[in-house]
Amino acid sequence: METKTVADVTRSRRDVLKLGGLGLLAASADAVWPLHMRATSSKAQPRSSARNVVFYEISGAVSHVESFDFKENPGTPRDLDVRTVSSDLSLSHLLFPRLEKHLNRIALLRSMLSHEEVHFRGQYYTQTGRQLNLAFAREIPSVGSVIAMELEARRREDDTFPTYMSFNLDKAFPGALSTGFLPPRFSVVDINPESAVKGMALDQKAVELLEERWRLLSELRKAEQARVSGYGRQMAGYGDFYETAHRLLTDERWPAAFQISEEDRKRYGNTPVGVSCILTRNVLAQDAGTHYIHICHPGWDHHVKIWDRGAESNHYVLCSEFDPAFSSLLEDLAATRSKTDPAKTLLDETLVIAIGEFGRTPGALNNMAGRDHYNRCYPALFAGSGVKGGRVLGRTDSAAAKCLETGWNHKEQPRTENVVATIYSALGIDWAKEIRNTPSGRPYVYVDPLGANGYIPTDDITTIYG
Amino acid sequence: MHLSGPGGNHDVRYFMQTFGQSNRNNPPRPLAGSPLQPLLLMQSPVVTERLRAERDSRVERLLASYPNDNGRVVDELFLASLSRPASVAEKDVALAALAKNRIEGAQNLQWALINQVEFFFNY
């Protein structure tokens, strides 16, 4: 049994600041440290092929039959200008003109299966890699927080950025999930793209003002030092969060990451998801400690008027947000050299995944001219480090209603658990583990073989690599 | 999808959500601290706009009501923000700040009071 030792826990103050502060005791009442980890019976072989992972959540579920697994269905509109891009794949040129050019980078898996058909549960499942169980929900961390915990040991002296960042995640149905039983320092820093650019991009004057105010604050604190110092770890812990935040705001790389040019906005689209992708590129380019970014692109849930151009929100609109944002992100990551290893581009070091929580009903449109939820097969896109692009994995029938080939080396279809395993594997995290000393006593398994309706393989999806 | 909650622009909503305002869909979750909270307290327009000496803010009203009595301004700010009077040492620091530049000093003091750990912890 691998236990973190006392030495791991008694850190110097420097280390605490490096790791982001302790947080309020009230918030960490459930926080468990040191963790008692134990290997599970399944085997895992992490690939360690990526330094970063970008998880682009197509939140609300895109209609797979008209997008990434194009199959002409009775409800499919006729104006999509569908082109055959490979022997096995068609893609609408109207909807995805730019993505079309990047298919050579993308491994497209068509055979995902979800347990869930409801947004809240599906998006919870996407963020945590397991089914929602209300009895334990309070203590379950999001996958990003687990990653932040696992990658903590790799943080360098001058890493100030949070390991786990997200954009627009508060718009997801369950919101940005907490760290559960893990300490609060592994929390996501969720950025609202509209507000962030205004607030975080501090110019010189703002930085000076901040410094002046910080000095005043420090002097006031010193004046009260004697009275406050006895109040205990909790308040001191929160003070550490302040130190971390201050270091972040005054680290010139942070406001630099929030600078956006007009040209960027045009290329990515001046939409929340476009701005989120620009910021993702900027944050990864700064290489200051962030390794897992979750972008949430909400709004795809078109039960009503999915292909009606007159409707305020419809799939035409959402695809026109997705295409420039995602394509520009791939282009720019491929064009930017890594700071740590200039021989590689950011795309070489980053695994990019785009996936929703399920698909939408194939066939004819429903009685409101929309499509409803469909979990039996839906697609996922993979690009970046090690991924062998230009391939389509898995096969569905002519309506994209049933999965015919699973696209990997198991007869069960791959699920979100396997995508999570793929993420862990890429980052070099051994996922065949469980944490035993949770508050409830129930072990937290990194990738749970007990799926909703039977045992599932807990392997990563290696067919994306060739 | 719909989030219920107070209206206000997205800055306010973002601020409130970071401090744990629940979206009615959420599973119950602990208020987890994160560096985002002090980040927002320090630079979000929700805070920085309200502490300027303009548009009938508390800072403006105090500066106007006690044009000659900085001590009183400091006391009132402490009482309003932290529910306690300033200690002697704190008062010295605060008065020095106001002496340098009255308006900016008062704004900065209000900022510093909101960003005291004490403020967050108690409220």
Side-chain angles (χ1 to χ4, degrees), chain B:
Chain B
M1 57 150 299
H2 340 277
L3 293 177
S4 62
N9 62 13
H10 45 244
D11 283 335
V12 173
R13 273 190 267 126
Y14 179 42
F15 187 87
M16 296 295 280
Q17 272 158 4
T18 309
F19 283 92
Q21 175 192 56
S22 78
N23 124 10
R24 67 185 173 184
N25 286 316
N26 271 346
R29 57 179 175 171
L31 171 56
S34 82
L36 187 58
Q37 289 171 347
L39 265 180
L40 286 183
L41 274 174
M42 286 200 277
Q43 53 69 233
S44 163
V46 172
V47 174
T48 54
E49 290 301 307
R50 280 169 174 68
L51 47 82
R52 298 174 69 74
E54 303 171 345
R55 273 175 295 159
D56 206 28
S57 69
R58 168 167 292 116
V59 173
E60 184 177 38
R61 276 182 274 142
L62 283 176
L63 287 177
S65 307
Y66 307 111
N68 299 318
D69 189 352
N70 282 353
R72 192 68 192 277
V73 173
V74 169
D75 279 334
E76 292 289 329
L77 278 179
F78 266 82
L79 282 171
S81 307
L82 299 178
S83 295
R84 63 169 177 86
S87 73
V88 174
E90 285 177 323
K91 197 150 174 188
D92 285 337
V93 173
L95 284 173
L98 264 85
K100 225 171 86 178
N101 178 325
R102 197 159 189 257
I103 295 182
E104 278 175 24
Q107 287 174 175
N108 294 351
L109 179 60
Q110 175 73 90
W111 182 94
L113 290 175
I114 289 182
N115 278 287
Q116 285 276 33
V117 176
E118 196 179 327
F119 178 83
F120 179 84
F121 207 72
N122 289 339
Y123 305 112

Side-chain angles (χ1 to χ4, degrees), chain A residues 93 113 295 303 440:
Chain A
H93 181 78
L113 172 69
I295 305 171
H303 291 277
S440 66

Side-chain angles (χ1 to χ4, degrees), chain A residues 108-267:
Chain A
L108 209 164
L109 179 67
R110 301 192 272 203
S111 50
M112 295 287 305
L113 172 69
S114 171
H115 312 305
E116 304 297 349
E117 285 193 83
V118 169
H119 289 301
F120 182 66
R121 293 185 64 93
Q123 291 177 16
Y124 181 88
Y125 180 34
T126 302
Q127 271 194 64
T128 59
R130 66 208 60 229
Q131 277 207 303
L132 172 62
N133 181 334
L134 280 174
F136 300 105
R138 216 182 121 95
E139 70 175 28
I140 298 293
S142 58
V143 166
S145 294
V146 176
I147 291 174
M149 182 266 290
E150 285 280 341
L151 297 187
E152 179 179 61
R154 297 187 209 166
R155 273 179 90 80
R156 299 164 293 192
E157 196 58 49
D158 55 354
D159 277 345
T160 50
F161 285 25
T163 310
Y164 175 24
M165 280 182 69
S166 68
F167 293 99
N168 244 352
L169 197 50
D170 58 304
K171 303 275 181 334
F173 269 76
L177 294 177
S178 75
T179 55
F181 63 79
L182 290 175
R185 65 179 182 272
F186 303 124
S187 171
V188 62
V189 173
D190 178 39
I191 305 285
N192 176 316
E194 295 135 336
S195 310
V197 180
K198 259 189 295 166
M200 305 283 192
L202 301 172
D203 58 18
Q204 190 54 24
K205 215 162 127 255
V207 172
E208 280 165 10
L209 181 60
L210 181 67
E211 281 306 306
E212 199 185 318
R213 289 173 168 177
W214 185 262
R215 269 195 298 270
L216 178 58
L217 182 60
S218 309
E219 281 173 30
L220 280 177
R221 285 218 187 125
K222 249 199 333 235
E224 280 305 282
Q225 194 65 6
R227 189 171 71 93
V228 165
S229 61
Y231 282 170
R233 208 176 66 104
Q234 300 87 293
M235 284 183 75
Y238 203 74
D240 288 335
F241 263 159
Y242 256 101
E243 295 285 330
T244 310
H246 179 236
R247 272 182 87 202
L248 201 53
L249 279 178
T250 50
D251 179 347
E252 65 204 356
R253 295 177 293 183
W254 181 258
F258 288 85
Q259 306 289 352
I260 301 187
S261 67
E262 276 313 303
E263 204 219 309
D264 279 339
R265 279 187 198 264
K266 279 211 205 74
R267 275 181 56 230

